Amino acid sequence: MKQKRVLSGVQPTGALHLGNWLGAIKNWVDLQHQHDTFFCVVDLHAITVPQDVKTLSENTLSTAAMYIACGIDPKKSSIFIQSHISAHCELCWILNCLTPINWMERMIQFKEKALKQGDNVSIGLFDYPVLMAADILLYQPDLVPVGEDQKQHLELARNIAQQRINSRFGKDKENLLKIPDALIMKQGAKVMSLNDGRNKMSKSDPNANSRITLLDPPDLILKKIKKAKTDQFIGLEFNNPDRPEADNLLNIYSILSNKSKEASYEECKEMGWGMFKPLLAELVIDSLKPIQSQYKELMDDKEGLGNIIKSGNEKANEISSLTLQKIKDAIGLINKL
Ligand code: TYM
């Protein structure tokens, strides 16, 4: 049977955090054993908001290294950099010309991010979901593993592919583009901020104590968890709408300890915060230890990392250029003479 293809990506906008890992990358690691997997560092998405030049290039390499440190095996998966594959921008332009503005005006993440940018909102930020659609559709994937917050963007990509490309340009009901499915984890799809269990953990939160990054040293992890918002109740529990922090931290505990939700609840239902927090901190520290030491080794061998990316880029280029040519032909852009 033909392997299903999987494509996903993370923006290199800062150290990856527990949400990126538990909501997306952890899922990628499992998928790579049975699927044809492509993981992109989406640097062109990062520049939709202002970035420091040096930090962006460092973050791009370190995000690729972090994929591998989290368990992405370069022998099984292609790891590549978005800006190295020009087909992303080319298809984005074509899709721009086919996507109605009012579809874009509904994008919740744009509205949230635009608010933070004040007067400095770029066209790129508005267009971000179309670039994401291009990222995805170029690889004709079956599955796109992402966190809950990307659901709307995935829906847009599906609508563009179906309504604007396949149904308009596909001859004899031919599907020019595959309609991919979002793959969202049952647990971990929305890891919440440590400061406020009603907001998601985010790289752009100005308060660094709101997130645990995958590179935080043990003492900092302990400090952040000790400072995390709590409530006046004793005992951890899931799904109590008045206790989002308890739900979030118990969820993290359950995922990292590989214990079911029921078992985690049984274990922690009578624990006070003073007992639970050090237990959680130790678990997070132990879970991140192997990732951090592998990350360090990878970053100490930039040449090796560069070779991994080069070979990922080659594979990405092969597949994406075929799709791009197919779409160009279908819409009437003539081939080079
Ligand atoms: P980004 O860089 O914001 O996040 C990368 C992945 O992490 C997930 N995620 C979370 N999951 C659970 N809890 C959280 N608190 C949390 N925060 C982030 C995101 O859902 C995502 O899966 N637009 C994308 C990047 C992108 C992309 C793509 C993804 C560009 N092109 C093509 C898939 C396919 C983004 O900004 O992710």
Side-chain angles (χ1 to χ4, degrees):
M1 206 174 74
K2 205 166 162 273
Q3 272 188 326
K4 284 191 172 172
R5 187 172 294 151
V6 171
L7 177 286
S8 198
V10 174
Q11 291 188 67
T13 43
L16 304 197
H17 55 64
L18 274 187
N20 301 131
W21 183 36
L22 304 181
I25 301 176
K26 203 160 177 287
N27 206 1
W28 305 356
V29 173
D30 297 336
L31 289 164
Q32 69 182 337
H33 303 299
Q34 275 153 18
H35 299 85
D36 183 21
T37 37
F38 287 80
F39 302 117
C40 180
V41 180
V42 291
D43 54 351
L44 296 171
H45 277 92
I47 61 168
T48 56
V49 297
Q51 298 293 333
D52 175 72
V53 173
K54 188 159 171 276
T55 316
L56 175 64
S57 48
E58 281 165 6
N59 282 343
T60 301
L61 276 188
S62 76
T63 302
M66 197 43 102
Y67 288 179
I68 304 166
C70 286
I72 300 297
D73 177 352
K75 292 199 190 78
K76 294 193 166 131
S77 302
S78 304
I79 297 170
F80 66 101
I81 300 197
Q82 184 187 30
S83 66
H84 292 187
I85 312 293
S86 55
H88 289 241
C89 287
E90 283 193 66
L91 184 62
C92 177
W93 180 255
I94 293 172
L95 301 183
N96 277 340
C97 298
L98 297 167
T99 305
I101 285 194
N102 69 342
W103 288 12
M104 304 296 288
E105 284 167 345
R106 296 182 201 135
M107 296 294 117
I108 298 164
Q109 212 170 64
F110 169 72
K111 291 181 197 163
E112 288 170 357
K113 287 193 179 180
L115 269 181
K116 290 188 194 154
Q117 297 303 313
D119 288 339
N120 199 15
V121 180
S122 67
I123 292 176
L125 189 65
F126 185 65
D127 199 28
Y128 175 119
V130 179
L131 178 60
M132 179 162 163
D135 298 340
I136 296 169
L137 300 173
L138 274 174
Y139 297 88
Q140 309 268 20
D142 300 274
L143 300 170
V144 183
V146 283
E148 185 91 34
D149 61 339
Q150 297 301 317
K151 225 172 160 176
Q152 195 187 30
H153 292 159
L154 240 297
E155 205 46 49
L156 179 84
R158 288 165 55 90
N159 289 340
I160 293 175
Q162 184 56 51
Q163 297 175 36
R164 298 286 149 160
I165 298 280
N166 289 353
S167 63
R168 285 194 182 179
F169 301 102
K171 289 203 189 87
D172 305 326
K173 299 213 160 57
E174 177 204 11
N175 272 344
L176 291 163
L177 293 172
K178 191 171 261 178
I179 310 299
D181 285 316
L183 191 66
I184 296 178
M185 303 277 261
K186 281 202 185 74
Q187 253 186 308
K190 199 163 185 192
V191 175
M192 310 310 279
S193 152
L194 298 183
N195 293 342
D196 178 357
R198 293 178 209 276
N199 277 329
K200 69 163 190 171
M201 186 176 282
S202 153
K203 279 184 239 141
S204 60
D205 191 322
N207 185 346
N209 285 330
S210 66
R211 60 184 167 269
I212 293 175
T213 86
L214 304 187
L215 293 176
D216 282 349
D219 51 342
L220 187 59
I221 294 174
L222 182 63
K223 193 178 123 211
K224 285 182 178 176
I225 292 183
K226 278 195 169 162
K227 275 192 139 186
K229 186 172 172 200
T230 53
D231 52 33
Q232 74 274 29
F233 303 103
I234 305 256
L236 276 292
E237 62 180 321
F238 290 110
N239 298 331
N240 180 339
D242 296 326
R243 304 192 63 202
E245 288 79 21
D247 181 78
N248 185 41
L249 296 186
L250 191 55
N251 240 321
I252 296 175
Y253 181 79
S254 161
I255 302 170
L256 292 181
S257 62
N258 277 323
K259 290 176 186 163
S260 66
K261 286 180 90 163
E262 293 72 25
S264 310
Y265 171 67
E266 280 306 317
E267 188 184 346
C268 305
K269 68 181 179 193
E270 279 158 16
M271 265 184 209
W273 287 104
M275 193 168 170
F276 176 71
K277 281 185 162 182
L279 187 72
L280 177 65
E282 194 185 315
L283 180 62
V284 174
I285 292 166
D286 286 347
S287 310
L288 293 184
K289 215 175 264 166
I291 294 180
Q292 295 180 348
S293 66
Q294 239 240 301
Y295 171 83
K296 196 180 166 312
E297 275 179 34
L298 287 155
M299 290 302 278
D300 285 343
D301 175 17
K302 293 269 167 43
E303 200 185 324
L305 186 58
N307 287 336
I308 290 172
I309 294 171
K310 262 187 224 150
S311 107
N313 283 348
E314 270 168 32
K315 217 162 157 219
N317 205 18
E318 242 171 66
I319 294 179
S320 59
S321 57
L322 287 177
T323 309
L324 181 65
Q325 193 54 53
K326 192 168 154 189
I327 300 299
K328 282 180 165 176
D329 292 344
I331 68 170
L333 298 174
I334 59 169
N335 214 334
K336 285 192 191 108
L337 299 172

